[in-house]
Amino acid sequence: MRGGKTVGWVEFEKVTKKFGDVIAVNNVSFSIEKGEFFTLLGPSGCGKTTTLRLIAGLEIPTSGIIRIAGEDVTLKFPGQRNVAMVFQNYALYPHMTVYQNIAYPLVVRKTPKKKIEERVKYVAEHLQIDTLLDRYPMEISGGQQQRVALARAIIQTPNVFLLDEPLSNLDAKLRLEARSFLKHLHHELETTTIYVTHDQSEAMALSTRIAVMNEGIIKQIGTPKEIYEKPADIFVAGFIGNPPMNILEFHTDGNSMILDGQKIKIEKIHGILKKLGEKAYLGIRPEYIKLGKEGDLVGEVYVVEPLGVENVVTLKLEKQYLKVLTFEETVFKPGQKLWIYFRRDKLNFFDSSGKRVAFENEEET
Ligand SMILES: Nc1ncnc2c1ncn2[C@@H]1O[C@H](COP(=O)(O)OP(=O)(O)OP(=O)(O)O)[C@@H](O)[C@H]1O
Ligand SMILES: [Mg+2]
């Protein structure tokens, strides 16, 4: 503790990184606890890689302070930070075999040969590259190269793992298997991990906390559940979940909501409607909507997409569309008119600027 504040294992204090006119990271602050699996999630170009490179010491911030393990490392060289990084473009040593690439960080640390062999075997088997150990990087595929780069990082025991989209080039099945292995490994080693992805399901599955970024700014930091249930704004709401949260524009006359010409009666809603102003947004996840013979408003089935166990039903209101995830056997047909019911405990409201407005009795997260 320092001044009553918990000291994090990796800390950013008002860090900004500019490249000429581009502000890649804009006044970002966060504090990551030791042992966390912390994910930076956001669209292409939002500043994820730059943030990792700042932690690794491959970039120096334009302003702000970076601390690792209680030490100010803002101006320290990469070699002085004890971090292991997987780069988005792998950066394997071309003149070394796969085995030598993976073993390299341990060879440098003069780890006993036997121990190195054991560790290489363990990670290579779990990442399914154990048959490639004698080949050179040129002789293996992109997805295989990516797994070699990942193996080379996770063979180490650093202060922090920095993993930049380490599974992006793998096919769907392998990606899921490697994801489970990473989670297992984190459970086993408890090494603080900072993970970058633009895949929301990966972020949800792996992380203790997620930071959602957009245009160099952190929009929200929270547990996967907090981010899923109470997104800070419309951007976060639309980025998480598959299909993402429905965002429906409505207006209010102070007492009730009017959504595409239909008046919706929701109990105990007056307080929040007063806070919202005339135009606002309702946010509701597709799995928290029920379809049937009664409900809040009527919509017409636009399209039905079967995904195996569940169906995604898109409904058209007067102008807006919404998606419903249903696990029922009921067959819905395009053109069919249905009542739509919103689960009361799962409603989110956003003001005209897109910012979430909390209910009075709701705990702030
Ligand atoms: N060396 C550089 N020189 C100039 N601009 C840069 C440099 N590196 C990054 N940028 C810019 O900074 C912004 C953030 O880039 P960054 O690589 O951090 O994004 P990212 O979130 O990792 O994106 P992606 O998902 O596509 O990898 C982008 O607008 C990018 O063009
Ligand atoms: Mg990147």
Side-chain angles (χ1 to χ4, degrees):
M1 302 285 273
R2 187 179 53 200
K5 216 178 100 204
T6 314
V7 182
W9 191 247
V10 179
E11 287 186 328
F12 262 41
E13 194 176 312
K14 296 187 181 148
V15 173
T16 294
K17 178 64 187 178
K18 292 184 192 168
F19 296 106
D21 291 341
V22 180
I23 308 178
V25 173
N26 191 353
N27 197 27
V28 162
S29 298
F30 56 71
S31 176
I32 300 170
E33 303 271 308
K34 191 171 188 194
E36 269 203 84
F37 198 113
F38 189 86
T39 297
L40 299 166
L41 173 70
S44 186
C46 74
K48 304 181 296 293
T49 295
T50 306
T51 304
L52 277 199
R53 291 175 57 85
L54 284 162
I55 300 168
L58 300 164
E59 304 285 355
I60 297 297
T62 310
S63 60
I65 300 168
I66 299 172
R67 292 186 199 89
I68 298 176
E71 194 187 345
D72 184 340
V73 297
T74 314
L75 300 173
K76 292 224 152 147
F77 292 116
Q80 298 171 300
R81 300 192 185 198
N82 191 21
V83 300
M85 180 152 173
V86 173
F87 295 92
Q88 207 165 356
N89 61 0
Y90 326 140
L92 298 174
Y93 306 116
H95 58 287
M96 292 185 190
T97 63
V98 166
Y99 183 93
Q100 289 166 332
N101 262 281
I102 300 174
Y104 186 73
L106 298 188
V107 172
V108 172
R109 284 193 188 82
K110 306 208 169 15
T111 311
K113 198 158 171 257
K114 188 106 177 77
K115 178 100 200 268
I116 296 178
E117 275 173 20
E118 265 170 41
R119 286 302 289 169
V120 173
K121 187 164 176 281
Y122 176 71
V123 295
E125 267 174 14
H126 279 91
L127 292 172
Q128 301 174 42
I129 45 175
D130 49 321
T131 58
L132 309 172
L133 294 174
D134 294 332
R135 296 208 207 158
Y136 287 87
M138 285 280 284
E139 301 167 341
I140 59 177
S141 76
Q144 290 165 342
Q145 288 178 27
Q146 187 168 40
R147 279 173 282 156
V148 174
L150 180 57
R152 184 179 57 186
I154 62 182
I155 201 170
Q156 306 174 55
T157 45
N159 276 334
V160 189
F161 283 137
L162 303 172
L163 311 180
D164 196 351
E165 313 226 16
L167 311 179
S168 60
N169 252 320
L170 309 186
D171 65 53
K173 182 167 173 280
L174 201 52
R175 192 170 174 146
L176 287 179
E177 284 166 7
R179 178 171 108 182
S180 301
F181 173 56
L182 275 186
K183 186 149 190 177
H184 173 78
L185 200 70
H186 180 252
H187 181 71
E188 199 174 73
L189 305 176
E190 294 184 321
T191 307
T192 312
T193 304
I194 307 179
Y195 191 90
V196 162
T197 183
H198 55 252
D199 179 336
Q200 59 87 27
S201 62
E202 214 164 88
M204 292 289 293
L206 288 169
S207 317
T208 51
R209 283 190 305 155
I210 300 172
V212 183
M213 287 186 82
N214 193 29
E215 297 180 342
I217 291 171
I218 293 192
K219 306 286 274 181
Q220 184 173 7
I221 298 182
T223 62
K225 189 170 161 56
E226 280 161 3
I227 300 227
Y228 193 81
E229 298 286 347
K230 294 177 183 176
D233 63 21
I234 284 182
F235 174 82
V236 176
F239 206 78
I240 308 272
N242 183 27
M245 184 179 275
N246 292 290
I247 304 290
L248 299 162
E249 190 185 317
F250 67 91
H251 56 267
T252 147
D253 56 12
N255 287 314
S256 44
M257 307 170 46
I258 297 137
L259 208 169
D260 269 14
Q262 301 187 59
K263 204 171 199 161
I264 307 179
K265 288 204 171 60
I266 295 178
E267 322 72 48
K268 295 181 201 152
I269 204 180
H270 308 296
I272 201 162
L273 291 186
K274 293 223 160 58
K275 280 197 254 173
L276 284 171
E278 228 174 273
K279 196 190 97 175
Y281 301 91
L282 167 71
I284 177 114
R285 295 217 169 267
E287 64 271 33
Y288 299 145
I289 303 177
K290 272 195 125 95
L291 299 174
K293 295 200 179 73
E294 51 187 5
D296 297 314
L297 75 171
V298 178
E300 186 181 301
V301 177
Y302 177 72
V303 69
V304 183
E305 293 161 273
L307 300 179
V309 202
E310 72 272 40
N311 288 306
V312 179
V313 184
T314 307
L315 291 119
K316 190 175 190 298
L317 305 172
E318 191 184 59
K319 290 199 198 87
Q320 306 184 77
Y321 293 83
L322 85 166
K323 288 193 187 295
V324 180
L325 197 60
T326 148
F327 293 86
E328 289 166 43
E329 295 281 324
T330 324
V331 182
F332 297 108
K333 292 219 166 66
Q336 189 181 356
K337 288 218 161 57
L338 289 165
W339 278 99
I340 299 163
Y341 174 78
F342 301 132
R343 240 180 87 171
R344 296 299 188 255
D345 57 335
K346 298 295 183 185
L347 300 175
N348 283 273
F349 290 98
F350 304 95
D351 65 19
S352 58
S353 73
K355 210 171 158 300
R356 187 174 192 277
V357 177
F359 284 102
E360 265 147 40
N361 58 351
E362 184 179 281
E363 266 179 54
E364 295 287 343
T365 47

